[in-house]
Amino acid sequence: MYPRRFLLIGTAMLASPSYAQVDAPGANDVGPEIIVTANKREQKLSDVGATVAVLGGEALARQQISDLADIAQAVPGLSFANSENGTPILTLRGVGFIESSLAAYPTVSVYVDEAPLPFGALAIHSAYDLERVEVLKGPQGTLFGQNSTGGAINFIAAKPTDDLSAGFNISYGRFNEVNGEAYVSGPLSGALKARVAARIERMDGWQISNSRPDDRNGKVRNLMGRLLLDWEAAPTARFSLNVNGWKDKSDTAAPQYIGYVQQNPVANPIIPTIPFSPEKPRAADWGGPVAGFEPFGDSDFWQVSLRGDIDLSDAITLTSLTSYLRFNQRQGADRDGLPYTVNDLISDGSIRSVFQELRLSNGGARPFRWVVGANYADSKVDQAADFDYRYTSVNETVKTFYGYDLTRAHYSNFQKLRSYAVFANGEYDLADGLTFKAGARYTRAKSTATICNTDLTDDARGTGAFLFDIVYGGAAGPFRTGDCFAGNDLGRTINGVAPGAPGEYRDRLSEDNISWTAGLDYKPRPGLLLYANVSRGYKAGSFPAVSATSFVQYRAVSQESVTAYESGVKASLLGGSLQVNAAGFYYDYRDKQLRSKVQSFFGIQDALVNVPRSTIKGFELETTMRPVEGLTLATGFTWLDAKIKTFQGISGGGLPADFADTRMPFAPKYQLSSNLDYEFPITGSLNAFVGGSMNLRSNTIAVVGGDTNAANAVPTNKMLQGIDNYILVDARVGIAGPDDAWRLMVFAKNIFNTYYWNNAVTSSDAVARFAGTPATYGVSLSMRM
């Protein structure tokens, strides 16, 4: 049950993130029209026959939204989850890929000014100095390509200005959190404009070790920067250069140890004696001095993108978008929440990616509006990790029965991923107020993988030696340091490795698909839009990065598809003071890609699988109202019924079963996001403002089958893979100077210190959850010059 005080607050605070940026000039006006680029051209949001949630730059600043986790809290239908290695997992309307490998394509694609960030780890530091964030819901395959079966998130950077301007925002809060952001913008010459922006984030560790009360984790050390250059080379030729990057030396999050599921017959004598973590926001644990392991992070990223728009005639424009990016990562991640190493890892990774798109379009002022184009993407992803699992039941069992000591292992995973696509999209006005829409994209995707699990120690009684001596019975000879020890159990020769033999895994995947969309928009009068769409999108298959002992764990999953049926209405009512948007949808979800488990010699181990069929039904309602000048009230609500229809396998919790008619992970049935902003004059030159936000989410699960624990799970009185319902409440109050030249604000986030978590994972024998941040509060000052 939800606490009564939260229900009262939720009833009083009605505000939608989709319109939180609106700054209305009058009491009977919702505000200036919101412009979006959902169809790769500028349009009024009220004219777009699709569901698009928008967060404007002012709303981002006022609500202290600075990362994907904050954005997910503000947008109903969007869920964010921490993964064991820090890669964010996004799920939109129940469509998500629960996989943390660097090379895993997401189902919710992310862009900065239309330049893609093709892998999840690249998108964690993009929310600064923004004009707005657009969240496009539903398959976006026609215009945004495959890997957007759930939707797309577009970060629209604030652009260079015609006049010299500058500004900054600095805040100080709990845990010595200091966030500073600044920009300078203006002309360099008559045809050249520039904007430079930077952000710094610093915070002390907020997690408290359960076993070492003086030890802290969770410190933040981030630096981001962006340079934009806009050049009007001629009246018919415009170019935009975006150079951006970041450095992240923050700690990886430590989880909370909340359950134990013994995978092998003999338990380590220490782990079962360790008490479970207190259910408090700051409680956690990690290796520490005993294990010789501390969480850490060290990542860097930079991207260069160049866009050119050349008018070939009065009607046709050629657009070229070129992007190149590089990412490097080294980090240590605790995956079990224990002061011992049950399944901790130190990993290295890199990403190199090139993207090129060319398209022709005729703008938006004609009865027939069209865009045709082609693009190419080429990425190389290299990932390696050292695992330490000395305190697991598998090690204890092998030591007891065979005398080998399995303490460490290493994996390497190198993938090349390429795709080619051609696409066309059009809108045709059949009659006054009636528009037909249609589009299609053909995509060809190819990927190769080279994967090896090995033992880099010289231990003659270690992991590699045990597999070669005992599992393979000496048939592969003696183990040599660096030999690939995973065995071929696929029944056919792979990369020269015969069935039953160990070796390096190499394979390729080649797929193609046709994404498409069709729909009707009907505007019977100004301020009212009715629409109906049907579309299909695809997500490419991929290979996992896993600690494996058998080739079956390396197999790629095939591409998944979502066929979506959606209809909705956008209505401006009460003379423009009330905006109501509503949509209903049904998804036919085929071959959903899932990080699951398979049975091996070492017990239940990770693998990627396809879920044959799932369905998602849902409804969304958004309202925005300005009953009096300065007051904005709105709400965004999502209801989902996301079910697996056909799937037999092993759940993420290690439970083999038939999962037909079970619910899908990270798809809470109810989500409500609310926001209130009220600004009013207190003197002739000063305004005061107050605001508040609320986010409500019903319970969900972190893995397929998460409603049921394994038979030997401890404790038995809770769903170890469940995510409970929660409500978060934020508040803010402050004063603003003339023309909003400066703002001084006091803010608080999660003001009731609600304990909640966004993911629960099984790591060998341990079950751990990633808790959300506790109550934070502080003061911020912003100025514009």
Side-chain angles (χ1 to χ4, degrees):
M1 295 293 291
Y2 294 108
R4 180 179 297 273
R5 64 178 178 181
F6 291 138
L7 292 178
L8 292 173
I9 292 170
T11 303
M13 292 169 49
L14 303 173
S16 167
S18 300
Y19 298 93
Q21 83 285 10
V22 172
D23 297 312
N28 296 317
D29 186 4
V30 171
E33 192 68 67
I34 302 167
I35 304 300
V36 297
T37 54
N39 289 320
K40 292 203 171 179
R41 58 183 173 85
E42 291 190 348
Q43 287 178 277
K44 296 177 181 179
L45 179 58
S46 59
D47 290 340
V48 177
T51 304
V52 183
V54 180
L55 290 165
E58 293 295 332
L60 297 170
R62 293 178 188 180
Q63 297 179 43
Q64 300 288 302
I65 293 174
S66 60
D67 57 28
L68 285 171
D70 291 338
I71 291 170
Q73 294 289 0
V75 177
L78 181 63
S79 295
F80 171 92
N82 289 100
S83 67
E84 302 100 312
N85 66 3
T87 300
I89 298 173
L90 296 173
T91 303
L92 188 53
R93 287 180 169 177
V95 180
F97 187 30
I98 310 164
E99 165 67 336
S100 57
S101 304
L102 284 183
Y105 286 126
T107 59
V108 182
S109 54
V110 179
Y111 299 81
V112 177
D113 287 346
E114 297 189 16
L117 301 176
F119 305 101
L122 308 178
I124 57 178
H125 296 305
S126 298
Y128 66 97
D129 194 43
L130 296 177
E131 181 179 306
R132 65 185 181 277
V133 178
E134 302 174 4
V135 181
L136 285 60
K137 301 183 181 182
Q140 305 294 322
T142 302
L143 288 175
F144 290 91
Q146 63 177 9
N147 311 322
S148 58
T149 44
I153 298 176
N154 293 331
F155 290 100
I156 311 299
K159 299 301 185 286
T161 52
D162 293 328
D163 301 314
L164 180 63
S165 63
F168 71 86
N169 178 281
I170 188 167
S171 65
Y172 176 79
R174 190 183 184 193
F175 309 120
N176 289 319
E177 182 178 16
V178 177
N179 295 323
E181 187 173 316
Y183 74 90
V184 178
S185 177
L188 299 179
S189 67
L192 183 63
K193 298 180 292 185
R195 186 182 185 101
V196 178
R199 180 178 173 87
I200 187 171
E201 299 174 343
R202 185 193 183 282
M203 185 172 71
D204 293 342
W206 59 275
Q207 294 185 302
I208 301 174
S209 167
N210 298 327
S211 60
R212 306 175 304 278
D214 293 330
D215 200 358
R216 300 290 185 270
N217 182 63
K219 77 174 186 295
V220 174
R221 300 289 188 273
N222 298 327
L223 176 64
M224 298 89 91
R226 182 184 295 128
L227 167 66
L228 295 176
L229 292 174
D230 285 356
W231 179 40
E232 188 172 356
T236 58
R238 301 163 299 283
F239 297 91
S240 297
L241 178 69
N242 185 327
V243 181
N244 65 89
W246 47 260
K247 179 72 172 178
D248 184 337
K249 300 197 73 171
S250 305
D251 292 340
T252 57
Q256 300 175 328
Y257 171 54
I258 54 102
Y260 184 75
V261 183
Q262 187 173 317
Q263 302 290 313
N264 293 272
V266 183
N268 180 278
I270 297 175
I271 303 306
T273 68
I274 298 175
F276 298 125
S277 176
E279 295 188 342
K280 299 179 180 179
R282 300 184 65 185
D285 222 337
W286 52 95
V290 173
F293 176 86
E294 296 281 352
F296 70 91
D298 189 358
S299 303
D300 60 79
F301 164 86
W302 61 265
Q303 179 189 44
V304 178
S305 65
L306 176 65
R307 172 173 174 157
D309 292 286
I310 300 174
D311 297 331
L312 302 181
S313 69
D314 292 339
I316 298 176
T317 299
L318 171 67
T319 298
S320 171
L321 182 62
T322 307
S323 171
Y324 176 75
L325 63 84
R326 299 186 65 168
F327 168 82
N328 297 289
Q329 179 188 78
R330 178 170 175 78
Q331 64 179 18
D334 189 290
R335 311 205 306 172
D336 47 64
L338 286 159
Y340 298 90
T341 48
V342 173
N343 200 345
D344 299 335
L345 78 159
I346 295 176
S347 62
D348 295 271
S350 67
I351 298 173
R352 307 289 185 267
S353 186
V354 175
F355 174 81
Q356 175 64 56
E357 178 170 290
L358 291 171
R359 64 179 187 258
L360 293 169
S361 63
N362 71 336
R366 292 167 175 80
F368 178 42
R369 301 167 294 280
W370 54 265
V371 56
V372 296
N375 58 37
Y376 166 77
D378 188 334
S379 300
K380 295 179 177 64
V381 184
D382 199 355
Q383 187 173 6
D386 291 297
F387 282 86
D388 191 323
Y389 47 86
R390 67 189 66 190
Y391 290 97
T392 59
S393 64
V394 62
N395 186 28
E396 206 67 31
T397 300
V398 168
K399 280 196 299 184
T400 300
F401 291 106
Y402 299 99
Y404 287 76
D405 191 8
L406 278 57
T407 60
R408 304 182 71 89
H410 175 89
Y411 80 64
S412 60
N413 184 300
F414 178 70
Q415 296 188 42
K416 295 181 180 180
L417 308 100
R418 291 181 179 177
S419 66
Y420 313 80
V422 292
F423 60 92
N425 193 72
E427 302 175 11
Y428 181 67
D429 296 334
L430 299 173
D432 188 22
L434 182 63
T435 301
F436 173 70
K437 309 171 295 184
R441 173 187 291 254
Y442 171 78
T443 302
R444 180 76 175 177
K446 298 180 179 180
S447 60
T448 62
T450 302
I451 311 175
C452 175
N453 275 76
T454 187
D455 186 347
L456 296 181
T457 69
D458 295 324
D459 188 355
R461 309 292 287 181
T463 304
F466 168 71
L467 285 161
F468 271 59
D469 296 347
I470 305 301
V471 176
Y472 305 125
F479 176 78
R480 296 166 299 178
T481 302
D483 284 346
C484 301
F485 57 55
N488 181 1
D489 54 350
L490 296 180
R492 57 187 175 88
T493 299
I494 302 290
N495 184 38
V497 181
E504 182 180 72
Y505 178 89
R506 291 186 184 180
D507 203 358
R508 65 180 61 247
L509 181 67
S510 181
E511 300 173 317
D512 62 356
N513 58 70
I514 298 177
S515 299
W516 51 264
T517 184
L520 286 171
D521 291 350
Y522 178 50
K523 295 192 73 171
R525 63 169 177 81
L528 178 61
L529 171 65
L530 307 174
Y531 65 89
N533 302 321
V534 58
S535 61
R536 176 174 295 171
Y538 289 85
K539 178 190 175 300
S542 63
F543 295 89
V546 293
S547 179
T549 58
S550 63
F551 278 17
V552 71
Q553 295 178 254
Y554 294 147
R555 288 186 304 182
V557 284
S558 61
Q559 62 187 356
E560 69 176 32
S561 69
V562 173
T563 304
Y565 306 85
E566 179 171 343
S567 62
V569 58
K570 297 183 178 183
S572 179
L573 306 172
L574 302 179
S577 63
L578 174 63
Q579 178 71 35
V580 177
N581 298 340
F585 51 89
Y586 174 83
Y587 291 174
D588 185 0
Y589 198 173
R590 300 298 177 111
D591 297 317
K592 172 182 171 61
Q593 297 171 4
L594 180 71
R595 180 88 169 220
S596 188
K597 304 286 183 177
V598 294
Q599 182 70 46
S600 78
F601 183 86
F602 289 118
I604 304 297
Q605 291 193 295
D606 288 350
L608 291 181
V609 300
N610 287 106
V611 176
R613 185 167 182 260
S614 308
T615 62
I616 301 173
K617 295 177 286 188
F619 172 79
E620 292 187 343
L621 175 66
E622 297 179 341
T623 64
T624 303
M625 183 168 60
R626 285 188 56 90
V628 297
E629 184 174 358
L631 176 63
T632 302
L633 301 162
T635 186
F637 173 78
T638 297
W639 173 83
L640 286 178
D641 181 16
K643 293 287 183 65
I644 290 173
K645 293 301 182 182
T646 308
F647 177 53
Q648 292 182 342
I650 301 176
S651 74
L655 181 68
D658 183 344
F659 296 102
D661 291 322
T662 60
R663 58 178 173 163
M664 291 171 58
F666 300 108
K669 180 158 286 191
Y670 306 106
Q671 298 181 57
L672 173 68
S673 290
S674 302
N675 189 69
L676 176 151
D677 279 302
Y678 182 43
E679 186 160 344
F680 53 94
I682 53 176
T683 71
S685 60
L686 288 179
N687 283 353
F689 60 89
V690 295
S693 305
M694 186 201 70
N695 179 268
L696 177 153
R697 303 207 170 199
S698 62
N699 67 73
T700 185
I701 52 177
V703 298
V704 170
D707 289 301
T708 305
N709 292 335
N712 63 333
V714 179
T716 60
N717 62 345
K718 68 174 69 174
M719 289 192 310
L720 297 182
Q721 304 286 347
I723 300 175
D724 284 357
N725 56 53
Y726 63 85
I727 299 177
L728 304 180
V729 179
D730 303 342
R732 51 197 175 272
V733 61
I735 56 174
D739 299 322
D740 215 27
W742 57 268
R743 280 184 171 254
L744 180 64
M745 178 174 69
V746 177
F747 64 88
K749 303 184 73 172
N750 189 9
I751 60 177
F752 296 112
N753 200 38
T754 298
Y755 171 61
Y756 70 102
W757 60 98
N758 59 43
N759 200 1
V761 298
T762 299
S763 253
S764 295
D765 306 301
V767 183
R769 64 172 58 141
F770 289 90
T773 51
T776 57
Y777 38 80
V779 60
S780 73
L781 172 66
S782 62
M783 296 191 70
R784 294 187 298 184
M785 297 165 277

